[in-house]
């Protein structure tokens, strides 16, 4: 019986030590006020750089080489991918899309 009481007290002490909620774990105090002003919002979201990245991506899409565009077209069509594994992407593109007008 004495061992059971000691084990129970030990379990209560371990539980109290591990379940303690400190205020240090609350790094962000947004729970006090969920709304922030525009100046603080712009600290971590900058629209200009994001729009610039989108523009650069569109420019890169336009300036792809002909071979790269053909390879992407072939990759989107599964039979072309299978054919390219045996004969190469150029032959697979000619086989499946050669009769069509290229961009």
């Amino acid at each position: 019986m004495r061992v059971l009481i000691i084990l129970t007290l030990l379990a209560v002490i371990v539980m109290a030590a591990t379940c303690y909620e400190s205020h240090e774990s609350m790094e962000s105090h947004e729970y006090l006020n969920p709304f922030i002003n525009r100046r603080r919002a712009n600290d971590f979201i900058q629209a200009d750089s994001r729009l610039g990245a989108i523009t650069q991506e569109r420019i890169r899409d336009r300036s792809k080489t002909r071979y790269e565009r053909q390879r992407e077209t072939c990759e989107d069509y599964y039979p072309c991918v299978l054919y390219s594994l045996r004969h190469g992407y150029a032959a697979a593109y000619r086989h499946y899309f050669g009769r069509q007008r290229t961009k």
Side-chain angles (χ1 to χ4, degrees), residues 16-95:
T18 58
C19 295
Y20 173 72
E21 182 180 342
S22 68
H23 293 288
E24 295 172 358
S25 65
M26 297 179 192
E27 294 175 0
S28 120
H29 299 285
E30 293 175 1
Y31 61 92
L32 297 175
N33 186 6
F35 302 103
I36 58 176
N37 62 17
R38 290 182 185 178
R39 186 171 294 156
R40 282 205 50 216
N42 287 335
D43 287 345
F44 60 91
I45 296 178
Q46 296 177 356
D48 297 334
S49 64
R50 189 178 45 168
L51 290 175
I54 291 171
T55 305
Q56 287 295 328
E57 185 177 342
R58 287 182 183 162
I59 290 171
R60 268 186 257 118
D61 284 344
R62 286 187 205 146
S63 63
K64 290 181 181 176
T65 63
R66 183 175 142 219
Y67 176 74
E68 189 175 0
R69 280 185 277 139
Q70 288 178 353
R71 184 176 179 136
E72 287 179 356
T73 303
C74 187
E75 286 174 349
D76 291 338
Y77 187 57
Y78 188 69
C80 186
V81 172
L82 294 178
Y83 193 89
S84 70
L85 292 175
R86 178 169 282 204
H87 303 287
Y89 276 104
Y93 184 84
R94 278 193 307 271
H95 179 74

